[in-house]
Amino acid sequence: MRSHSALATAAGALMLVLAVPGSAWAATGQFRYSYQTADGYDAVGFINNPPSRTCIDIQGAGSDGTSAAYAPKNLTDATATVFLERGCAGDVYYSLRPGAGASDRLLVRSVVFS
């Protein structure tokens, strides 16, 4: 009889794990960055509750092939690793802990959250 209750408990635990929504694999909060529009105006972009372990190319950054976003602020609960290149590629990257921001000198085109 004990093996049946242990099996039922294990099955129940597995169902709970499978029932966790996809948002459990997302950072909670907002990632902000500044960029310059095609018209030369400064703008602020943001990503709300970004998915974890997925590379995100930053909108507005580098769409013309030259400019990058700058001054990222990680207001999420996960570590954000920002990259100079699109596609989270290249050797130039920087990690921002939750709640941290960087200066205007830090240029970014993509980001991935832990």
Side-chain angles (χ1 to χ4, degrees):
M1 202 52 135
R2 280 184 196 223
S3 64
H4 289 296
S5 65
L7 182 61
T9 301
L14 178 61
M15 292 190 61
L16 280 174
V17 169
L18 294 176
V20 173
S23 64
W25 297 102
T28 301
Q30 189 176 74
F31 179 79
R32 295 182 188 177
Y33 55 92
S34 298
Y35 66 99
Q36 200 166 67
T37 68
D39 296 327
Y41 296 104
D42 289 329
V44 176
F46 57 90
I47 304 168
N48 288 321
N49 302 320
S52 296
R53 295 184 287 263
T54 301
C55 181
I56 301 168
D57 285 336
I58 296 174
Q59 297 299 314
S63 58
D64 61 1
T66 58
S67 63
Y70 55 92
K73 292 175 182 52
N74 182 17
L75 305 177
T76 73
D77 61 354
T79 298
T81 303
V82 296
F83 292 81
L84 179 59
E85 301 298 324
R86 295 178 80 69
C88 299
D91 294 335
V92 181
Y93 61 89
Y94 187 80
S95 293
L96 292 169
R97 69 183 185 280
S103 75
D104 291 354
R105 296 183 330 182
L106 182 61
L107 303 178
V108 299
R109 289 191 174 93
S110 58
V111 61
V112 64
F113 295 85
S114 62

